Structures are given as structure tokens and as C-alpha cells.
Amino acid sequence: MEKRNFFFLLLAFLVLGSAVLAGGCGTNVNGVSEELNAGEENEEAAIEGVISRGGDPVVGLALSGGGGLGMAHIGVIDVLLENGIPIDLITGTSAGAIVGALFSDGVSPEQMEKIVAELNWSDFLVASVPELGFFSTEGMEEKLKEHLQSENFEDLAIPLAVVATNLDDGEEIVINSGSIVKGVVASAAIPVIFQPVEYEGMFLVDGGLVNNLPSELAREMGADIVIAVNLADNFRFEGRPQGLIETGIRSYSILQRSHSVPVDADIEIHPDLEGVAGTDLDQYREIIARGREAAEKVVPEILALLEEKKENEY
């Protein structure tokens, strides 16, 4: 029981760590560079294919970080599919990068729910010599490899870009080419908790430090309509913090609120996750259901916007 509680406390830190919002440094190097130019030709070709799909407006889905609460993204995607709402491109940070990668590679919401049902936090927490982080990212890498069919971003059925933070200079790094596993793990590697990911000569950590909800990136990639799923509203506390871990959690939450920036989205979805803990994987059904509930509320608005765009611009 003590070991289980230790993991829950530790992962509670991860949940909020990935939700830190900052003003967005805006300089992307190597992985995509300043204007998505690493893999730019592949990305542009993919977007062009989407745009030519009957002349319909391009719909981009931006998925925020949020640790275990990111399972709500599964419910949101499920509702969009049920209502015939297209998802033409995806951007994601941390947990949003993980869900986005799986869906872009053809893993359905139902399949994702089955994957989550079998997850254990110990799958991700592989101890390492604590030089730059307490845990290796090997566990995350292996889990992703187990469920992804594609190897590189260029191979994905749906264009995907994920956000990481360059620990060397604090800049935002957008990755949309090369190894999916490497890019997604970098986007979700909470600093200090996980070892940084070495990528293209950089040390990369969780993208939530610089851009927790990359909605503007979806716009840059060519989305006419951006649907953003924001989990940052769900970090609430009562009473005084108990111990070092919870103190760190609250500090991250305060930093998140003080650095929040307006979201560049046409539709913003805010799942209400009060009363559920992202650290308790047994609550996955409830978390996914909350994502569904939030998405169902905005379906009429999305459908109306799609129709309006088609009539006015296409």
C-alpha cells in the first residue's frame, strides 16, 4: 500500500507539472524550427491533401497536457467521431501528444480505453540513476512502441505536431517529423521526474512548460476551424499542502494561472473533472465519460460552424 501511495503522490506531481502554461517562447528549432520547416514539405503535402477533400474546411484538434486527466481527450474524440465531425490535423502537448499520436495512427477511442484499462503507473516509472531525472523514459517509449504501427510522423494518417521544451534555452520546440516515439516522449517528459530526452542535439522536456495547449499551432498548420480541449481548469486545492510533493503541485498550479494566455480556438472544450484524480487509473471510465459530456455540449455549435464555413467560404 505504501508503494502504491508513493506512486500516486509522485504521479500527482506529473499531472500538474504537465499543465503549466506559459506565454509561449515561440521559437522552434530543429524538430520543426521557426515556421514548421523541419518536415515542412511533408506537412504541407498532408495538409494539401486534407484541403482538397471535397473543399470542406480543415478542422484542427488541439489537445492540452494534463497527466492522467488527459484520458478525457479519449471521450472528446469519441463524441466528435460519433457526430461525423472530421479531425484533419492534431496538435498536442504531453498527455495530449500521447492521445493525439495514438489516434493519428489509427487507434480508435474504444481501443485507447482498453489500453488504459490495462495500464499501471509502474509501466512508466522506470528508475534510473538520478542525474537529471528520477525516472527513465524507457517505460513510456516501450508502451508507445507497443501500440503504434507507424514509426515516423510522416507516416501518420492524420498530420500531427507535438510541443516540447528545450531545456538548454527554455524555447518551445515543435516536432512534426522523425520518430513519433521520441517526439511524443519528449513532449511528456516532466523535468526532474523524468530524464530529459536527447533529440537533435537538444535536451527536451515536457512541452507544458512553454505551451500547454498548442491551439495556435493548429492554425499555423492550416486549420480553418480549431477545436481546443483545455484541461487546465481542473487543478483545484483545499486546505494547506501536505508535504513536499503537494507543495510542488500547488506551486505549478499557481504558475500556470499566472502565465495563462488566450487560447486561439473557435471552439474550446473544458471537461469538468472536479472530484476525479488523474493519478488513480481506476477512475479512467469516469474521466473519459467527463470528456464525452463536455464534448456533447458543444456538438451543435461545431456542426453549425462547419456549415457556416462551407456556405461562406467553400
Side-chain angles (χ1 to χ4, degrees), residues 128-135 167 190-196 203 205:
S128 65
V129 178
E131 182 183 358
L132 296 173
F134 289 107
F135 297 96
L167 199 56
I190 310 297
V192 180
I193 303 301
F194 288 106
Q195 295 274 6
F203 264 7
V205 294

Side-chain angles (χ1 to χ4, degrees), residues 207-281:
L209 293 170
V210 291
N211 190 353
N212 196 53
L213 180 54
S215 55
E216 74 288 346
L217 177 59
R219 193 83 69 187
E220 290 172 18
M221 288 173 66
D224 301 303
I225 296 173
V226 176
I227 301 169
V229 186
N230 195 343
L231 304 178
D233 297 339
N234 292 287
F235 306 107
R236 307 179 181 96
F237 307 98
E238 295 180 5
R240 287 189 173 178
Q242 303 297 311
L244 182 62
I245 297 296
E246 192 174 346
T247 299
I249 289 172
R250 296 198 183 194
S251 298
Y252 265 13
S253 180
I254 292 167
L255 183 62
Q256 167 218 329
R257 288 197 295 266
S258 66
H259 287 83
S260 61
V261 294
V263 176
D264 180 15
D266 300 283
I267 306 288
E268 193 170 354
I269 300 174
H270 295 264
D272 181 2
L273 296 165
E274 187 171 6
V276 294
T279 53
D280 186 356
L281 291 179

Side-chain angles (χ1 to χ4, degrees), residues 29-31 131-133 137 163-173 175 182-183 185-187 189-192 194-207 209-210:
V29 267
N30 290 337
E131 182 183 358
L132 296 173
T137 59
V163 173
T165 303
N166 186 354
L167 199 56
D168 296 326
D169 59 14
E171 295 291 341
E172 175 182 342
I173 306 299
I175 305 172
K182 202 81 167 174
V185 169
S187 181
I190 310 297
V192 180
F194 288 106
Q195 295 274 6
V197 174
E198 197 164 353
Y199 181 89
E200 301 285 342
M202 299 175 289
F203 264 7
L204 302 185
V205 294
D206 195 293
L209 293 170
V210 291

